[in-house]
Amino acid sequence: MEHVPPPAEELALLDQELVRLDARRLQLLNRRAWLMSVLRAPVAPPPFAAPPARLPATPFGWGPPVGAAPAAPVSGASGVQNVLLVLGGLLLTIAAIAFTLFSWGEMGIAGRSAVLATVTVAALAAPALLLRRKLSATAEALAALALVLTVLDAYALHAVALPDTDGLGFAAVSSAVLTASWAAYGLALGRLRLPLPAAVVAGQLPLVLAAWAAGAQAVVFGWALLVTAAADAAVALWGRGLAVRITAGIGAASAGLIAMLIGLSRSVSADGPLAAASPGALLLAGAVVALFGAWRAPKDWAAAAGAVAGLATVAAVGGVLRTGLPWNWSVVVYLLCGAALTAVVRVRVPQPVGRGVLAASAAVTAGAVLWASPAVAAVLLGPVSLLTDVWAGAPGSVRGALGPSMPWPDSAASPVVLVLVAGPLAALYAGWDRVRGTLLSPRPGWRVAAAAGAMVLGWGAALTLPAVMDVPYAVAVGVELLLVAGLLAVAVRQAAGALSLTALVCALVGAVSAGLLALAAEPATYAVFVGLSVLFAGAAARSRAAAVQSVLAGASVLCAIVPVSAAGASLGWSAPHTAPLVLVVPAVTVLLGARLRVAAVALTLELTGAFGAVVAVALAVTDAPFLALVLALCGVLAAGTAVRPDRRPVAGYVAAVLFVMAAWVRLAASQVSDPEAYTLPVSVIAFAVGYLRRRTDPAASSWVAYGPALSMTMVPSLVVAWVDPHWLRPLLLGVAALVVTLVGARFRLQAPLVLGGSVLALVGLHELAPHVVQVFDALPRWAPPALAGLLLLALGATYEQRLRDARRVRESLGRMR
């Protein structure tokens, strides 16, 4: 029976064997290092090299042996060798070129031919001998020199033996001969890496140079490039070696794309079917070559080649069919040809190729949509010009309201293009179940994207159609209102998602465009904005999604602000006189907000109503009495909102601030020089009300209870005190502020402490300002910067402490009521 040692014994044996292997490897590395030093050294090696002593094993049997010196690093001899060979080859090449160009005439015809032929033959034969001795790097260098010498031989042959021949024709023949010669040479010496890629590079020239020598037309150049690309594609598919295939692939892509560009340019500029047929044939042949390569190419290259084939087919067929049509309708022809490419889903082709063809169809479609998009933008943004000339009168047609932003006769095909793109997208959405198993293999989200795209494009087509047809102004406005209504219906009926969001966004953008368009005439303004407000309100009532309801409710309020604001202008009122009328909209939003059950919708409604209040304040800002009235009315609305417990924390503060601001503005408008006579009684009453509030609700903030009462008197008095040349008012105000500050600190009330301290500091600054100015005038100019620097140094040195102090002050204020 075979003896199987126990695991511990077997592990010890393995460790001993690994130690012996490491020792043997070290011996071989040392011997290798010595041999390389002998090969590099100019002197003779020593007569013998002592073998290294056997080193003891490591205690645990792994890692390098104890006491072992590190192996000699591998020399960079190969890198140095390559550099030397490259430099030598370059010098020889330069010498050969100089000899051929400048020293040629110093020798006879026999000598010249013999020298160049001998050198070329020697350079071509040397790599074979070097490869046998396994000197591949040297062989590559001499092969490169040999290739350059063959080019010089061709030049010398033309300069001496055939000087009267055409240079371009001779270059075409020479490049063909060199291509074949280099290819045969590379195949014969298969271990050389340079000749075959060089042959591929040289092969790009013969046909192009031949066409150039013949003075051919651009299409013939295209055919020459296409045949070259086809040959390159064949080499890229079946060539020998990775370098050859990569070089051929680059050549095929470059030559093929240039040929396609030549065919496209000639096809687009053709003025008849016969003129477009020749570049069309070139493009179709290019498509065949691309498909031929795509069928056998790797996955990524196959998709790219399929896309090129699809684009070339569209350009070829569309270029012939579009002749005789204006350019704007030519886009429709190309679009239809691009749509025909989708038939590839019914053909059995490799999946990458099919996806590339479909990508070409998508690219053509996207280009057509981009061509038509300026017309949509002109309809949406053209009415912006009406903002500078509101109610100038309804134009005779809709183009008069859009301005000269678009040459509409040249955009007649824009709606057709958008409809032709929207139709397949809608069909894709409707026939989703039939598409899922085909070449498309679309993702689930693509169905929603197709529906959204169809909706947007259809809406854009409906928008641009009235402008293209130049319908009357009233018809265009009605069409835009109907579009908004239809989109709102879709947004309400669809569940909250991508389709509903798309319809909602389109409806909002369309509403803005319709509103701007309606500014041309007064009746249109009222009709459009009232209609939009009703549409948005009705859609908000029908929707079941809270987010959609909120957006629609806010849009309804914003649309309602415009006709209310325009009513004052229709009645001949000034802007300040119109401001109280605008507050009708915020008042309605306050009432509706209290009745609505959905909190998000109510909040949005009230916020947009608050925007209406801001508009009213902006209208009244030029007339102080009306501004005070508007602020007081806004305060009433805020107080009405604060009745609701959930709005009280914010609306209460807003109401207090608005009432105080209204009182201040009223006093300033009345040019009152002693505001205390008016503010003190109100402050006393407000203070009593705040005190009662604190008695009934100890948790109430001091800002709600005492803030309005204190600011009602102290702030106007502070404003008057700053311009009062006497000392009595600042003194009384400072004493009152000091008392308020001490009371706030004693009872830990935030509002008295902050307001009293702020007023006291400002009064003190006002009183000390003249003396501070005198002190600064008396100081030398260098003193203020020096003092500022010392202050900054002190603050920087005690920054941590100051930060802690500020944090403690903030926490203390936060604990106050």
Side-chain angles (χ1 to χ4, degrees), residues 386 393-401 470-479 514-522 524-525 528:
L386 297 175
S397 63
V398 66
R399 292 184 188 175
D470 199 17
V471 300
Y473 170 77
V475 175
V477 172
V479 168
L516 292 174
L517 191 63
L519 296 178
E522 182 177 359
T525 301
V528 169

Side-chain angles (χ1 to χ4, degrees), residues 347-615:
V347 182
R348 297 185 62 181
V349 296
Q351 192 175 61
V353 179
R355 290 187 181 276
V357 175
L358 291 178
S361 175
V364 174
T365 303
V369 171
L370 287 177
W371 176 84
S373 58
V376 181
V379 174
L380 293 175
L381 302 178
V384 174
S385 60
L386 297 175
L387 292 174
T388 59
D389 197 11
V390 178
W391 291 0
S397 63
V398 66
R399 292 184 188 175
L402 298 178
S405 58
M406 191 72 186
W408 291 108
D410 296 336
S411 303
S414 297
V416 179
V417 168
L418 296 175
V419 169
L420 289 177
V421 178
L425 292 177
L428 177 62
Y429 174 75
W432 181 258
D433 294 332
R434 296 190 299 273
V435 174
R436 281 188 295 182
T438 63
L439 177 65
L440 284 173
S441 298
R443 298 177 181 177
W446 290 10
R447 185 184 188 189
V448 179
M455 183 185 303
V456 173
L457 294 173
W459 169 65
L463 274 179
T464 55
L465 185 60
V468 169
M469 297 178 62
D470 199 17
V471 300
Y473 170 77
V475 175
V477 172
V479 168
E480 294 204 9
L481 275 179
L482 290 176
L483 287 176
V484 173
L487 290 169
L488 289 177
V490 175
V492 169
R493 292 182 180 179
Q494 292 288 336
L499 290 181
S500 177
L501 178 62
T502 303
L504 182 60
V505 171
C506 291
L508 293 175
V509 175
V512 173
S513 176
L516 292 174
L517 191 63
L519 296 178
E522 182 177 359
T525 301
Y526 287 106
V528 169
F529 281 100
V530 171
L532 289 175
S533 181
V534 172
L535 286 175
F536 283 124
R542 294 288 300 274
S543 178
R544 294 296 178 266
V548 177
Q549 281 183 328
S550 300
V551 174
L552 293 174
S556 177
V557 174
L558 292 177
C559 291
I561 293 173
V562 177
V564 175
S565 303
S570 298
L571 295 174
W573 294 353
S574 62
H577 287 75
T578 307
L581 183 62
V582 177
L583 292 177
V584 173
V585 177
V588 174
T589 60
V590 170
L591 296 175
L592 290 177
R595 299 290 300 274
L596 292 176
R597 297 180 180 179
V598 183
V601 179
L603 180 61
T604 304
L605 203 66
E606 291 167 357
L607 289 177
T608 50
F611 174 76
V614 172
V615 173

Side-chain angles (χ1 to χ4, degrees), residues 61-115:
W62 62 76
V66 176
V74 178
S75 173
S78 60
V80 175
Q81 180 187 17
N82 291 332
V83 172
L84 294 176
L85 290 174
V86 170
L87 290 176
L90 286 176
L91 291 175
L92 288 175
T93 302
I94 294 172
I97 294 173
F99 171 77
T100 303
L101 296 179
F102 304 112
S103 300
W104 192 258
E106 299 177 2
M107 302 177 63
I109 182 64
R112 288 177 288 183
S113 302
V115 169

Side-chain angles (χ1 to χ4, degrees), residues 5-93:
E9 184 180 352
E10 185 179 2
L11 181 61
L13 293 174
L14 290 176
D15 290 339
Q16 293 174 7
E17 185 66 21
L18 289 173
V19 169
R20 284 194 295 270
L21 290 175
D22 288 338
R24 180 59 179 164
R25 183 175 183 274
L26 181 62
Q27 291 177 2
L28 294 176
L29 288 175
N30 289 334
R31 181 66 178 173
R32 180 180 182 277
W34 178 80
L35 291 173
M36 292 184 66
S37 65
V38 169
L39 292 174
R40 291 196 302 267
V43 297
F48 67 93
R54 182 168 181 174
L55 299 174
T58 58
F60 299 98
W62 62 76
V66 176
V74 178
S75 173
S78 60
V80 175
Q81 180 187 17
N82 291 332
V83 172
L84 294 176
L85 290 174
V86 170
L87 290 176
L90 286 176
L91 291 175
L92 288 175
T93 302

Side-chain angles (χ1 to χ4, degrees), residues 44-283:
F48 67 93
R54 182 168 181 174
L55 299 174
T58 58
F60 299 98
W62 62 76
V66 176
V74 178
S75 173
S78 60
V80 175
Q81 180 187 17
N82 291 332
V83 172
L84 294 176
L85 290 174
V86 170
L87 290 176
L90 286 176
L91 291 175
L92 288 175
T93 302
I94 294 172
I97 294 173
F99 171 77
T100 303
L101 296 179
F102 304 112
S103 300
W104 192 258
E106 299 177 2
M107 302 177 63
I109 182 64
R112 288 177 288 183
S113 302
V115 169
L116 198 56
T118 303
V119 173
T120 303
V121 171
L124 289 172
L129 300 176
L130 292 173
L131 287 175
R132 292 178 183 176
R133 296 179 177 271
K134 298 182 180 180
L135 300 176
S136 57
T138 308
E140 291 285 353
L142 287 179
L145 175 63
L147 297 182
V148 174
L149 288 174
T150 55
V151 176
L152 295 178
D153 286 334
Y155 169 76
L157 180 63
H158 179 265
V160 175
L162 302 171
D164 297 330
T165 59
D166 179 51
L168 288 174
F170 183 82
V173 175
S174 300
S175 59
V177 172
L178 289 176
T179 300
S181 302
W182 291 355
Y185 184 69
L187 292 174
L189 301 178
R191 293 173 58 187
L192 291 178
R193 291 175 294 180
L194 184 61
L196 289 179
V200 173
V201 174
Q204 312 302 311
L205 301 176
L207 294 179
V208 177
L209 292 177
W212 192 0
Q217 297 179 353
V219 176
V220 178
F221 271 97
W223 279 106
L225 288 168
L226 184 59
V227 173
T228 303
D232 289 335
V235 174
L237 292 175
W238 297 298
R240 193 165 115 186
L242 181 61
V244 174
R245 292 197 297 270
I246 292 177
T247 305
I250 295 174
S254 304
L257 288 178
I258 296 175
M260 295 297 99
L261 291 176
I262 292 175
L264 178 62
S265 63
R266 302 302 297 174
S267 176
V268 170
S269 60
D271 54 359
L274 293 179
S278 178
L282 174 63
L283 291 169

